[in-house]
């Protein structure tokens, strides 16, 4: 059964908060990986970012819901 959260009188899906959290976490990881220069070991950085985001979102979505 989908869970909804009320924010200022508006019902939003619970996974929306997971999505926002994953985006913030990915942003931080992206800055860290970029500063350490680890992207030179990745074939395609954009696909890598997408894969990391999909993995984070899937794992956190399954754990929290």
């Amino acid at each position: 059964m989908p869970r909804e959260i009320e924010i200022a009188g508006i019902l939003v899906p619970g996974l929306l908060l997971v999505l926002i959290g994953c985006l913030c976490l990915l942003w931080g990881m992206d800055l860290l990986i970029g500063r350490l220069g680890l992207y030179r070991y990745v074939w395609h950085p954009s696909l890598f970012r997408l894969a990391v985001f999909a993995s984070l979102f899937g794992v956190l979505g399954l754990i929290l819901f």
Side-chain angles (χ1 to χ4, degrees), residues 13-64:
L15 284 178
L16 180 66
L17 299 177
V18 175
L19 176 94
I20 293 169
C22 285
L23 286 174
C24 293
L25 186 60
L26 180 67
W27 179 67
M29 288 175 61
D30 189 45
L31 285 174
L32 182 66
I33 291 171
R35 290 197 181 185
L36 292 176
L38 297 177
Y39 277 128
R40 64 180 161 217
Y41 300 113
V42 176
W43 174 68
H44 200 288
S46 298
L47 289 177
F48 179 74
R49 287 182 190 109
L50 180 66
V52 169
F53 173 76
S55 299
L56 284 173
F57 186 70
V59 168
L60 289 178
L62 286 174
I63 289 174
L64 296 177

